[in-house]
Amino acid sequence: MALTSHKTEELKAFINDNEEKISPQTMKTYINDYKRFRTLYNSKKNLANLSQSEIINIVKTNEEYAKINLIKIALTFLRWRDKPVNMVEKYLKDLIEDRTDGAVDKNIEIIKNAGATYDDLMDALDRATGTDFLLFYLLINFNTRNNDLIIRVINSKENEITKDENFMVVHKNKSTYIRNDYKTAKSYGSKTDVIRNLKFQKIMRDELNNDNEYLFVNSKKKPYKQTEMGNYIKAKFKSYIPDSKLTQAVIYKIIQHHAEENKDINMMKNIAKSRGHTIDTALKYYSSSKHDDKQAEEMGSDSDDE
């Protein structure tokens, strides 16, 4: 269900009241989560005018993975309008506790139902061509989320880098991947990675010559939106692994599982760094193995909430 004009006035007011207080990355996340929430109920009521019981019942009907973000955006809007939040705060606390307690079993189930293994991912990467290879390479090597993949392409002579977008700067023998707009950018700042893979670089230079402003674009040469990127990833992997059900989150869990199975601590540290969280967060929410506090400490973890 598309947002109509009466459903956007509340969002406009929220942006006007908070744009000086909230970072562009966080505001973009709020906007996406708000729009997602508003499509879940058929009412002209503003989100902040819903009762706490109504909000909780709406969130309960959604997929498990989305519940925390949905209840958080509802809580943000209730606080913005100085509405009661005690029930919503308790529900959020319960969701977080449930997520932590059952994380390992849930992650094992997700990996089991993914229709692909780590070896399948690497085989798809090896066989991929064109922008399929670029997509798979970034997902597998940099553990990217959907928003990380909205990337402007520029050559090394251009000076157009801003602090609120992601860029791929193409040089003669390398590409520089700059992430400014990602989930935990407020905590970790801009991320820069230099890519020297020969196949990646050859395709990247071809793409630069195509004059597309963004790396991954639809048939109208427009970049996929964050909310569209998931289906794009699924479709691309299905053409190489027909039975797969791969989102960025599932791919991340498969790679994390591979690192844990092989007790590759350096790989786990690199995954956490690239993802924009600590090993402690990875083990707490995304692990498919049981780890005690001593093991987490030995892996060099720090306290962090993603």
Side-chain angles (χ1 to χ4, degrees):
M1 181 175 72
L3 286 169
T4 53
S5 59
H6 70 264
K7 290 187 176 180
T8 60
E9 292 305 315
E10 180 184 39
L11 182 57
K12 289 177 183 176
F14 176 83
I15 293 170
N16 287 337
D17 286 354
N18 294 282
E19 60 186 347
E20 299 299 325
K21 308 171 191 174
I22 298 173
S23 72
Q25 291 91 348
T26 301
M27 183 62 79
K28 186 176 288 188
T29 299
Y30 284 171
I31 290 169
N32 287 332
D33 288 344
Y34 175 86
K35 288 180 177 179
R36 190 174 293 116
F37 195 106
R38 290 304 303 253
T39 62
L40 298 177
Y41 65 96
N42 292 311
S43 171
K44 293 185 177 182
K45 268 189 180 181
N46 285 331
L47 193 163
N49 290 335
L50 295 172
S51 71
Q52 293 188 76
S53 295
E54 285 176 315
I55 287 170
I56 291 169
N57 286 334
I58 289 167
V59 172
K60 280 181 177 179
T61 65
N62 217 262
E63 299 289 340
E64 287 296 326
Y65 73 89
K67 286 181 179 178
I68 289 179
N69 284 348
L70 290 170
I71 204 69
K72 279 183 175 179
I73 194 62
L75 187 58
T76 297
F77 272 71
L78 290 177
R79 286 171 174 162
W80 168 52
R81 290 305 194 193
D82 296 320
K83 298 294 183 72
V85 295
N86 58 310
M87 290 172 59
V88 171
E89 285 180 333
K90 183 181 183 305
Y91 182 62
L92 173 60
K93 182 180 178 182
D94 291 343
L95 284 176
I96 292 172
E97 288 177 355
D98 289 346
R99 180 184 177 191
T100 304
D101 292 342
V104 169
D105 291 337
K106 286 178 184 176
N107 290 332
I108 289 172
E109 191 66 20
I110 288 168
I111 292 168
K112 189 187 298 182
N113 294 328
T117 64
Y118 179 81
D119 287 341
D120 291 329
L121 293 181
M122 299 310 292
D123 178 65
L125 177 63
D126 185 60
R127 292 186 289 118
T129 59
T131 54
D132 293 355
F133 177 82
L134 302 180
L135 177 69
F136 297 176
Y137 188 94
L138 294 175
L139 283 162
I140 292 169
N141 288 283
F142 297 104
N143 312 107
T144 50
R145 298 182 181 87
N146 292 343
N147 216 60
D148 304 34
L149 296 167
I150 304 173
I151 305 167
R152 284 189 62 194
V153 180
I154 62 174
N155 67 50
S156 57
K157 296 178 182 178
E158 296 179 75
N159 190 24
E160 299 178 6
I161 296 175
T162 61
K163 292 295 184 182
D164 58 353
E165 286 190 280
N166 303 317
F167 292 86
M168 189 68 71
V169 185
V170 184
H171 305 261
K172 183 178 179 180
N173 297 312
K174 65 181 181 180
S175 290
T176 304
Y177 180 30
I178 302 170
R179 278 181 282 177
N180 293 313
D181 186 9
Y182 66 98
K183 185 176 180 180
T184 53
K186 188 175 180 181
S187 298
Y188 292 92
S190 179
K191 287 183 174 293
T192 300
D193 293 283
V194 176
I195 303 170
R196 299 182 186 276
N197 179 278
L198 295 178
K199 183 175 178 180
F200 188 99
Q201 187 62 12
K202 182 180 183 304
I203 298 170
M204 202 63 250
R205 291 196 67 81
D206 290 342
E207 285 304 305
L208 186 65
N209 293 331
N210 285 340
D211 290 330
N212 289 334
E213 186 178 359
Y214 288 85
L215 187 53
F216 304 114
V217 295
N218 59 26
S219 58
K220 296 180 180 178
K221 304 295 184 182
K222 298 293 183 182
Y224 288 100
K225 298 175 183 176
Q226 183 187 33
T227 52
E228 300 169 334
M229 192 63 76
N231 286 333
Y232 176 67
I233 292 168
K234 281 183 185 177
K236 287 299 180 182
F237 269 103
K238 268 187 173 295
S239 64
Y240 294 85
I241 314 171
D243 295 328
S244 66
K245 301 171 184 175
L246 295 171
T247 63
Q248 58 83 16
V250 175
I251 292 165
Y252 164 56
K253 287 180 172 67
I254 291 171
I255 296 170
Q256 175 73 19
H257 176 68
H258 173 80
E260 291 178 15
E261 273 196 325
N262 289 279
K263 296 181 172 58
D264 191 334
I265 295 175
N266 285 333
M267 185 177 183
M268 280 187 266
K269 287 181 177 179
N270 288 334
I271 291 169
K273 181 180 178 182
S274 186
R275 191 76 171 173
H277 59 216
T278 65
I279 288 183
D280 187 50
T281 295
L283 298 181
K284 190 174 183 181
Y285 296 115
Y286 306 114
S287 178
S288 54
S289 305
K290 299 286 186 183
H291 297 279
D292 58 31
D293 292 340
K294 186 172 184 296
Q295 286 174 309
E297 186 177 340
E298 288 171 351
M299 291 177 185
S301 63
D302 297 304
S303 174
D304 180 39
D305 292 319
E306 187 181 16

